[in-house]
Tab-separated table of all heavy atoms in Angstrom:
chain	number	residue	atom	x	y	z
D	294	LEU	N	27.972	-11.302	-11.052
D	294	LEU	CA	27.980	-12.019	-12.317
D	294	LEU	C	29.252	-11.720	-13.091
D	294	LEU	O	29.856	-12.610	-13.694
D	294	LEU	CB	26.737	-11.650	-13.143
D	294	LEU	CG	25.409	-12.095	-12.530
D	294	LEU	CD1	24.252	-11.743	-13.444
D	294	LEU	CD2	25.411	-13.584	-12.230
D	295	SER	N	29.672	-10.465	-13.042
D	295	SER	CA	30.886	-10.081	-13.764
D	295	SER	C	32.107	-10.756	-13.152
D	295	SER	O	33.019	-11.203	-13.870
D	295	SER	CB	31.023	-8.573	-13.740
D	295	SER	OG	32.340	-8.202	-13.995
D	296	SER	N	32.135	-10.865	-11.818
D	296	SER	CA	33.304	-11.479	-11.195
D	296	SER	C	33.369	-12.972	-11.508
D	296	SER	O	34.455	-13.537	-11.633
D	296	SER	CB	33.313	-11.231	-9.685
D	296	SER	OG	32.101	-11.639	-9.116
D	297	THR	N	32.207	-13.608	-11.701
D	297	THR	CA	32.257	-15.028	-12.085
D	297	THR	C	32.887	-15.182	-13.460
D	297	THR	O	33.611	-16.138	-13.713
D	297	THR	CB	30.852	-15.668	-12.089
D	297	THR	OG1	30.045	-14.983	-13.047
D	297	THR	CG2	30.210	-15.626	-10.738
D	298	LEU	N	32.607	-14.203	-14.316
D	298	LEU	CA	33.225	-14.255	-15.647
D	298	LEU	C	34.730	-14.075	-15.543
D	298	LEU	O	35.499	-14.789	-16.182
D	298	LEU	CB	32.631	-13.155	-16.541
D	298	LEU	CG	31.188	-13.355	-16.979
D	298	LEU	CD1	30.710	-12.183	-17.817
D	298	LEU	CD2	31.031	-14.661	-17.754
D	299	VAL	N	35.126	-13.096	-14.694
D	299	VAL	CA	36.559	-12.843	-14.519
D	299	VAL	C	37.241	-14.081	-13.949
D	299	VAL	O	38.372	-14.399	-14.275
D	299	VAL	CB	36.774	-11.610	-13.607
D	299	VAL	CG1	38.240	-11.480	-13.212
D	299	VAL	CG2	36.309	-10.355	-14.315
D	300	LEU	N	36.543	-14.799	-13.081
D	300	LEU	CA	37.115	-16.001	-12.469
D	300	LEU	C	37.193	-17.164	-13.457
D	300	LEU	O	37.630	-18.250	-13.109
D	300	LEU	CB	36.281	-16.421	-11.251
D	300	LEU	CG	36.383	-15.504	-10.032
D	300	LEU	CD1	35.458	-15.987	-8.921
D	300	LEU	CD2	37.814	-15.441	-9.527
D	301	GLY	N	36.702	-16.919	-14.664
D	301	GLY	CA	36.805	-17.965	-15.677
D	301	GLY	C	35.644	-18.944	-15.666
D	301	GLY	O	35.688	-19.973	-16.323
D	302	ILE	N	34.601	-18.622	-14.869
D	302	ILE	CA	33.410	-19.481	-14.906
D	302	ILE	C	32.616	-19.111	-16.159
D	302	ILE	O	32.355	-17.943	-16.414
D	302	ILE	CB	32.535	-19.260	-13.650
D	302	ILE	CG1	33.352	-19.575	-12.399
D	302	ILE	CG2	31.284	-20.112	-13.715
D	302	ILE	CD1	32.646	-19.227	-11.113
D	303	ASP	N	32.253	-20.103	-16.929
D	303	ASP	CA	31.555	-19.836	-18.177
D	303	ASP	C	30.247	-19.082	-17.920
D	303	ASP	O	29.547	-19.347	-16.947
D	303	ASP	CB	31.265	-21.171	-18.885
D	303	ASP	CG	30.925	-20.950	-20.350
D	303	ASP	OD1	30.004	-20.149	-20.630
D	303	ASP	OD2	31.600	-21.539	-21.212
D	304	GLY	N	29.940	-18.130	-18.814
D	304	GLY	CA	28.740	-17.297	-18.680
D	304	GLY	C	27.451	-18.090	-18.562
D	304	GLY	O	26.474	-17.618	-17.983
D	305	VAL	N	27.459	-19.319	-19.093
D	305	VAL	CA	26.226	-20.107	-19.050
D	305	VAL	C	25.838	-20.471	-17.609
D	305	VAL	O	24.698	-20.815	-17.340
D	305	VAL	CB	26.336	-21.399	-19.888
D	305	VAL	CG1	26.477	-21.063	-21.362
D	305	VAL	CG2	27.505	-22.247	-19.422
D	306	TRP	N	26.806	-20.359	-16.706
D	306	TRP	CA	26.509	-20.728	-15.316
D	306	TRP	C	25.964	-19.560	-14.494
D	306	TRP	O	25.581	-19.738	-13.341
D	306	TRP	CB	27.760	-21.261	-14.618
D	306	TRP	CG	28.170	-22.592	-15.150
D	306	TRP	CD1	29.204	-22.858	-15.987
D	306	TRP	CD2	27.516	-23.836	-14.897
D	306	TRP	NE1	29.254	-24.180	-16.282
D	306	TRP	CE2	28.222	-24.815	-15.624
D	306	TRP	CE3	26.406	-24.224	-14.135
D	306	TRP	CZ2	27.860	-26.153	-15.612
D	306	TRP	CZ3	26.034	-25.555	-14.118
D	306	TRP	CH2	26.759	-26.504	-14.849
Side-chain angles (χ1 to χ4, degrees):
Chain D
L294 295 183
S295 160
S296 53
T297 61
L298 290 178
V299 170
L300 289 177
I302 301 173
D303 197 306
V305 294
W306 290 104

